[in-house]
């Protein structure tokens, strides 16, 4: 696919469907993300937000529809679903951070961050380590370089997980409710790291329940419900002046607290 | 009572025959360690084959599953007789000398042919048992680990090698040790092939002296090794549980895992 067919959108989803058995989770999602844009996806549990992210990096290949990354289609027979080369193309460009951190427990923070560059990119240890140290410093973890995950708080683990994803030089970062498993007092340190990343121009797709973060950092907000995008637009429009009834209901419930 | 003491615990006989029995036990130890190491490696190969993803590798998966089913279901004694009978016949004129002598009647490293038949048979059989233990360990690694590995660009094979298997092996060291204890006891079956193990020596003493003290001495030697090993297994399990209780996010699934593994790691003999 050429760049022209996606009108220059960095990441484009067209009519993406995904089912798990009888459960039709995504029912035709459309989404455009431009380079350097921060997109927040909000919506009730079970609306398909996480599945959407997992489709984008092909952890769950969609059954129907098209996903284009940097102008190349990554779905379908020509794309990637069954083709390691295509999956490679995607995973080397897309970094992901998970709700449960998923750090490798048998490795130190340094080991977690360097594993991808060492084994996937096959870079030399002497090149990888200084960069990993810089990344850990960037997420405020320079004092814990040699600690193992079970000695780190949730917030610290999540910051290491962000550094681990950044170590692969991703072109776009996916965040899957990365603060939902954290104690309240640890949320800010992770959001601050994400805010800095956004300011540096990283393209980000953020599934979140943090409405303040969405309002302040996002360029675009997508509200999902029932496996489709119900409403999208600038955060000020979607969050403060929603047009759709379902969006109003959801925000009414969320913002009361 | 006197009969029991004299028949099983004649310390005079035990003292006189100690050298011979120890020699037999040394044979048992060598056979156990070599077969144990080989089974650990072979079992891991089988377990990893069984976990291969994708359609193209399905035949390998089926082969590995069929292999494990077959060799977990056949008595070791039968395997021993089939292996020794087959290999010795195939390398002799009756069998058309299909196999070269060095393979059909191996005497590598100065060990006897029954020793090597024992190593083959124990590895074939215990590889299948240990593959199942590894499988339990691999399945006990939370799914998020594979996803995280894949999301930093690792292939399935890289993820298995650097992320999944290292965690899985740590989880299953105690049940693997249990299998090793069982393997060690099962080495006694090679005596039927005329291997000079501790049982063979004990039986020789029994028939020469009409006394079971040689066999009892062998039993005592076994206990000197197997009881400390069993305690070591207990200690390792207790340490793992302590670690789980101390918390740490990646251990979230571990408590359930421990229970699952405790069941899967039972000795099979």
């Amino acid at each position: 696919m050429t760049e022209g067919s996606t009108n220059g959108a960095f990441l484009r989803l067209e009519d993406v469907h995904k089912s798990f058995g009888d459960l039709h989770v995504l029912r035709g999602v459309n989404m455009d993300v431009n380079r350097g844009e921060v997109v927040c996806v909000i919506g009730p549990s079970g609306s398909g937000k996480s599945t959407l992210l997992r489709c984008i990096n092909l952890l769950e290949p969609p059954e129907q529809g098209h996903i284009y990354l940097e102008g190349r289609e990554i779905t379908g027979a020509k794309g990637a679903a069954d083709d390691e080369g295509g999956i490679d193309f995607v995973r080397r460009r897309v970094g992901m951070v998970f709700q449960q951190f998923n750090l490798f427990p048998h490795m130190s923070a340094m080991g977690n961050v360097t594993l991808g560059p060492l084994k996937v990119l096959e870079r030399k240890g002497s090149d990888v380590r200084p960069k990993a140290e810089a990344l850990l410093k960037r997420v405020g973890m320079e004092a814990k370089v040699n600690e193992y995950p079970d000695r780190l708080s949730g917030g610290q683990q999540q910051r290491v997980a962000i550094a681990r994803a950044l170590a692969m030089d991703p072109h776009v970062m996916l965040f899957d409710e990365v603060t939902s498993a954290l104690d309240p007092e640890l949320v800010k340190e992770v959001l601050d790291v994400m805010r800095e990343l956004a300011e540096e121009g990283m393209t980000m797709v953020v599934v979140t329940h943090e409405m303040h973060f969405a309002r302040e950092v996002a360029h675009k907000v997508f509200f999902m419900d029932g496996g489709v995008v119900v409403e999208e637009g600038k955060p000020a429009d979607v969050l403060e002046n929603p047009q759709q009834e379902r969006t109003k209901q959801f925000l009414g419930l969320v913002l009361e607290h | 009572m006197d009969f029991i003491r004299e028949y099983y615990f004649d310390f005079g006989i035990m003292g006189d025959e100690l050298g011979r029995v120890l020699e037999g036990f040394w044979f048992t130890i060598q056979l156990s360690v070599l077969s144990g190491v080989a089974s650990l490696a072979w079992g891991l190969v089988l377990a990893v084959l069984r976990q291969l993803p994708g359609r193209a590798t399905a035949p390998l998966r089926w082969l590995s599953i069929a292999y494990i089913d077959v060799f977990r279901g056949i008595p070791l004694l039968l395997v021993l007789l089939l292996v020794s009978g087959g290999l010795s016949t195939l390398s002799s004129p009756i069998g058309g000398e299909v196999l070269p002598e060095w393979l059909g009647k191996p005497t590598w490293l100065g060990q006897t042919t029954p020793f090597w038949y024992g190593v083959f048979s124990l590895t074939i059989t215990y590889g299948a048992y240990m593959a199942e233990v590894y499988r339990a360990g691999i399945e006990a690694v939370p799914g998020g680990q594979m996803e995280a590995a894949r999301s930093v660009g690792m292939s399935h094979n890289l993820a298995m090698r650097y992320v999944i298997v290292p965690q899985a092996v740590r989880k299953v060291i105690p049940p693997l040790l249990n299998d090793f204890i069982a393997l060690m006891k099962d080495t006694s079956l090679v005596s039927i092939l005329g291997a000079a193990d501790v049982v063979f020596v004990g039986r020789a003493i029994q028939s020469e002296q009409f006394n079971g003290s040689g066999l009892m001495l062998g039993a005592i030697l076994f206990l000197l090794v197997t009881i400390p090993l069993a305690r070591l297994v207990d200690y390792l399990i207790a340490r793992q549980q302590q670690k789980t209780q101390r918390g740490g996010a990646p251990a979230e699934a571990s408590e359930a895992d421990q229970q699952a593994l405790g069941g899967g790691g039972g000795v099979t003999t």
Side-chain angles (χ1 to χ4, degrees), chain B residues 12-207:
Chain B
I13 292 179
M14 283 188 181
D16 292 344
E17 302 288 1
L18 182 63
R20 250 169 106 192
V21 175
L22 277 175
E23 230 168 84
F25 194 62
W26 175 232
F27 179 97
T28 296
I29 294 281
Q30 294 177 74
L31 180 57
S32 303
V33 169
L34 195 59
S35 308
V37 170
S39 309
L40 280 171
W42 178 225
L44 185 56
V45 169
L46 289 168
V48 168
L49 286 180
R50 192 178 179 148
Q51 299 288 330
L52 284 173
R55 217 170 298 158
T57 55
L60 277 173
R61 268 200 309 276
W62 295 332
L63 271 179
S64 139
I65 291 169
Y67 176 97
I68 292 167
D69 282 350
V70 166
F71 284 100
R72 282 204 311 163
I74 305 179
L76 178 60
L77 183 55
L78 267 174
V79 176
L80 266 170
L81 293 171
L82 291 169
V83 165
S84 62
L87 288 180
S88 57
T89 307
L90 286 175
S91 59
S92 64
I94 309 170
E97 296 183 319
V98 185
L99 289 178
E101 185 99 342
W102 64 267
L103 189 61
K105 299 191 181 92
T107 52
W108 311 324
L109 302 173
Q111 297 287 359
T112 58
T113 298
F115 177 89
W116 290 109
Y117 290 160
V119 171
F120 296 157
S121 307
L122 286 160
T123 304
I124 288 172
T125 304
Y126 273 86
Y129 291 137
M130 291 190 182
E132 286 297 276
V133 175
Y134 283 120
R135 178 166 76 123
I138 289 170
E139 287 174 356
V141 176
Q145 290 291 311
M146 178 57 93
E147 292 188 349
R150 299 304 302 253
S151 75
V152 292
M154 302 182 93
S155 64
H156 174 87
N157 290 347
L158 275 181
M160 286 299 277
R161 182 161 161 205
Y162 293 105
V163 177
I164 307 299
V165 168
Q167 293 183 57
V169 168
R170 262 162 247 220
K171 286 172 194 280
V172 297
I173 287 172
L176 286 175
L177 264 176
N178 266 335
D179 271 2
F180 177 75
I181 295 172
L183 178 148
M184 194 178 165
K185 292 186 294 174
D186 273 355
T187 59
S188 56
L189 290 170
V190 299
S191 64
I192 204 159
L193 304 181
D197 78 322
V198 69
V199 175
F200 187 85
V201 173
R203 288 187 70 186
I205 294 167
Q206 186 186 30
S207 58

Side-chain angles (χ1 to χ4, degrees), chain A residues 37-205:
Chain A
E37 222 169 30
V38 177
V39 163
C40 281
V41 183
I42 61 170
S45 318
S47 57
K49 311 181 297 287
S50 291
T51 306
L52 184 74
L53 286 192
R54 297 157 64 83
C55 281
I56 294 174
N57 80 345
L58 300 181
L59 280 176
E60 306 282 2
E63 285 131 6
Q64 194 186 316
H66 308 277
I67 300 178
Y68 304 92
L69 178 64
E70 300 180 358
R72 171 175 164 174
E73 173 156 20
I74 61 171
T75 42
K78 280 185 294 183
D82 281 324
D83 160 30
E84 279 287 326
I87 289 183
D88 239 36
F89 174 85
V90 174
R91 302 246 170 88
R92 290 194 183 189
R93 282 164 180 75
V94 181
M96 182 150 180
V97 186
F98 300 87
Q99 182 176 357
Q100 297 293 341
F101 331 133
N102 295 350
L103 286 185
F104 307 134
H106 59 304
M107 294 178 181
S108 65
M110 179 56 98
N112 269 275
V113 176
T114 53
L115 186 67
L118 284 175
K119 302 305 174 193
V120 179
L121 306 178
E122 297 184 336
R123 297 205 180 120
K124 278 189 301 192
S126 53
D127 298 339
V128 169
R129 283 188 69 88
K131 193 185 156 196
E133 270 167 28
L135 281 171
L136 285 166
K137 185 157 191 240
R138 186 164 156 195
V139 298
M141 291 295 292
E142 65 271 27
K144 306 277 186 181
V145 167
N146 294 315
E147 291 287 359
Y148 282 75
D150 64 354
R151 303 287 301 267
L152 301 175
S153 73
Q156 291 171 331
Q157 289 191 53
Q158 196 57 295
R159 286 185 281 148
V160 173
I162 292 172
R164 175 175 71 180
L166 291 174
M168 297 299 288
D169 295 320
H171 299 185
V172 54
M173 286 277 282
L174 310 178
F175 293 85
D176 186 8
E177 297 194 25
V178 295
T179 56
S180 298
L182 296 178
D183 292 337
E185 75 271 20
L186 303 177
V187 168
K188 184 172 178 296
E189 65 189 54
V190 172
L191 290 182
D192 285 346
V193 168
M194 291 166 66
R195 203 181 297 255
E196 274 171 40
L197 263 183
E199 281 162 11
E200 288 163 20
M202 175 64 75
T203 310
M204 296 163 58
V205 182

